[in-house]
PDB file of all heavy atoms in Angstrom:
ATOM      1  N   ARG A  36       3.931  -8.960  18.003  1.00 96.00           N
ATOM      2  CA  ARG A  36       3.243  -7.677  18.149  1.00 96.00           C
ATOM      3  C   ARG A  36       2.824  -7.271  16.739  1.00 96.00           C
ATOM      4  O   ARG A  36       3.542  -7.522  15.774  1.00 96.00           O
ATOM      5  CB  ARG A  36       4.167  -6.610  18.751  1.00 96.00           C
ATOM      6  CG  ARG A  36       4.665  -6.896  20.142  1.00 96.00           C
ATOM      7  CD  ARG A  36       3.657  -6.804  21.249  1.00 96.00           C
ATOM      8  NE  ARG A  36       2.980  -5.518  21.291  1.00 96.00           N
ATOM      9  CZ  ARG A  36       1.872  -5.300  21.982  1.00 96.00           C
ATOM     10  NH1 ARG A  36       1.321  -6.264  22.683  1.00 96.00           N
ATOM     11  NH2 ARG A  36       1.287  -4.120  21.990  1.00 96.00           N
ATOM     12  N   ALA A  37       1.666  -6.657  16.617  1.00 96.00           N
ATOM     13  CA  ALA A  37       1.154  -6.261  15.310  1.00 96.00           C
ATOM     14  C   ALA A  37       0.240  -5.053  15.468  1.00 96.00           C
ATOM     15  O   ALA A  37      -0.121  -4.678  16.584  1.00 96.00           O
ATOM     16  CB  ALA A  37       0.383  -7.415  14.665  1.00 96.00           C
ATOM     17  N   THR A  38      -0.113  -4.459  14.345  1.00 96.00           N
ATOM     18  CA  THR A  38      -1.118  -3.404  14.301  1.00 96.00           C
ATOM     19  C   THR A  38      -2.197  -3.883  13.346  1.00 96.00           C
ATOM     20  O   THR A  38      -1.894  -4.459  12.301  1.00 96.00           O
ATOM     21  CB  THR A  38      -0.505  -2.074  13.805  1.00 96.00           C
ATOM     22  OG1 THR A  38       0.516  -1.689  14.725  1.00 96.00           O
ATOM     23  CG2 THR A  38      -1.539  -0.984  13.722  1.00 96.00           C
ATOM     24  N   TYR A  56      -0.578  -5.474  10.170  1.00 96.00           N
ATOM     25  CA  TYR A  56       0.760  -4.972   9.859  1.00 96.00           C
ATOM     26  C   TYR A  56       1.754  -5.492  10.890  1.00 96.00           C
ATOM     27  O   TYR A  56       1.433  -5.575  12.081  1.00 96.00           O
ATOM     28  CB  TYR A  56       0.807  -3.441   9.919  1.00 96.00           C
ATOM     29  CG  TYR A  56      -0.079  -2.745   8.925  1.00 96.00           C
ATOM     30  CD1 TYR A  56      -1.366  -2.345   9.274  1.00 96.00           C
ATOM     31  CD2 TYR A  56       0.372  -2.464   7.644  1.00 96.00           C
ATOM     32  CE1 TYR A  56      -2.181  -1.691   8.369  1.00 96.00           C
ATOM     33  CE2 TYR A  56      -0.439  -1.809   6.731  1.00 96.00           C
ATOM     34  CZ  TYR A  56      -1.708  -1.420   7.098  1.00 96.00           C
ATOM     35  OH  TYR A  56      -2.513  -0.770   6.212  1.00 96.00           O
ATOM     36  N   CYS A  57       2.986  -5.781  10.464  1.00 96.00           N
ATOM     37  CA  CYS A  57       4.051  -6.134  11.388  1.00 96.00           C
ATOM     38  C   CYS A  57       4.518  -4.865  12.098  1.00 96.00           C
ATOM     39  O   CYS A  57       4.145  -3.755  11.718  1.00 96.00           O
ATOM     40  CB  CYS A  57       5.214  -6.804  10.646  1.00 96.00           C
ATOM     41  SG  CYS A  57       6.128  -5.701   9.539  1.00 96.00           S
ATOM     42  N   VAL A  58       5.361  -5.012  13.112  1.00 94.00           N
ATOM     43  CA  VAL A  58       5.837  -3.866  13.887  1.00 94.00           C
ATOM     44  C   VAL A  58       6.597  -2.868  13.011  1.00 94.00           C
ATOM     45  O   VAL A  58       6.445  -1.664  13.149  1.00 94.00           O
ATOM     46  CB  VAL A  58       6.732  -4.350  15.050  1.00 94.00           C
ATOM     47  CG1 VAL A  58       7.365  -3.188  15.782  1.00 94.00           C
ATOM     48  CG2 VAL A  58       5.917  -5.192  16.021  1.00 94.00           C
ATOM     49  N   THR A  59       7.382  -3.356  12.074  1.00 96.00           N
ATOM     50  CA  THR A  59       8.178  -2.478  11.210  1.00 96.00           C
ATOM     51  C   THR A  59       7.303  -1.620  10.303  1.00 96.00           C
ATOM     52  O   THR A  59       7.605  -0.447  10.079  1.00 96.00           O
ATOM     53  CB  THR A  59       9.144  -3.318  10.347  1.00 96.00           C
ATOM     54  OG1 THR A  59       9.943  -4.120  11.210  1.00 96.00           O
ATOM     55  CG2 THR A  59      10.029  -2.434   9.501  1.00 96.00           C
ATOM     56  N   CYS A  60       6.226  -2.161   9.781  1.00 96.00           N
ATOM     57  CA  CYS A  60       5.373  -1.459   8.818  1.00 96.00           C
ATOM     58  C   CYS A  60       4.186  -0.755   9.462  1.00 96.00           C
ATOM     59  O   CYS A  60       3.399  -0.119   8.768  1.00 96.00           O
ATOM     60  CB  CYS A  60       4.854  -2.450   7.779  1.00 96.00           C
ATOM     61  SG  CYS A  60       6.153  -3.249   6.830  1.00 96.00           S
ATOM     62  N   SER A  61       4.056  -0.851  10.759  1.00 95.00           N
ATOM     63  CA  SER A  61       2.887  -0.348  11.484  1.00 95.00           C
ATOM     64  C   SER A  61       2.642   1.144  11.280  1.00 95.00           C
ATOM     65  O   SER A  61       3.499   1.959  11.585  1.00 95.00           O
ATOM     66  CB  SER A  61       3.082  -0.623  12.970  1.00 95.00           C
ATOM     67  OG  SER A  61       2.058  -0.022  13.710  1.00 95.00           O
TER      68      SER A  61
END
Side-chain angles (χ1 to χ4, degrees):
R36 297 289 305 165
T38 299
Y56 298 94
C57 68
V58 174
T59 304
C60 299
S61 173

